[in-house]
Amino acid sequence: MVEVFSKNNCMQCRMTKKFLKQHNVPFVEHNIDEQPEFIKTLKSEGFLSTPVVKTPDGSAFSGFRPDKLQALA
């Protein structure tokens, strides 16, 4: 399952989730404003901005990346 770590009022987060929905890619969202327990984990993995997308194969990337999202579709 694809995981999307997002924040409120984040345009790139909205665009990422919209892309996944439009391409019927199932995902679970973790909003770090509402679930701050994920912040420490993301920082320890080197991520400093949202969205962070973790893929089923264990890879992860941040930002709105249509090229990488297309590979999931």
Side-chain angles (χ1 to χ4, degrees):
M1 175 73 67
V2 173
E3 292 182 277
V4 177
F5 296 83
S6 65
K7 281 181 72 168
N8 296 333
N9 302 316
C10 167
M11 182 56 74
Q12 289 191 34
C13 299
R14 275 187 245 139
M15 291 167 59
T16 297
K17 293 183 291 183
K18 182 178 179 181
F19 183 100
L20 292 172
K21 287 176 187 171
Q22 287 177 336
H23 292 84
N24 298 314
V25 177
F27 68 93
V28 60
E29 178 182 5
H30 304 290
N31 183 312
I32 65 171
D33 288 328
E34 297 166 10
Q35 298 172 291
E37 63 270 19
F38 289 110
I39 295 172
K40 189 174 184 179
T41 303
L42 292 175
K43 283 185 176 179
S44 73
E45 294 171 356
F47 295 107
L48 301 175
S49 62
T50 55
V52 173
V53 178
K54 292 188 177 183
T55 62
D57 68 4
S59 64
F61 60 90
S62 68
F64 178 61
R65 297 285 308 272
D67 57 329
K68 296 197 177 223
L69 292 170
Q70 188 63 49
L72 298 172

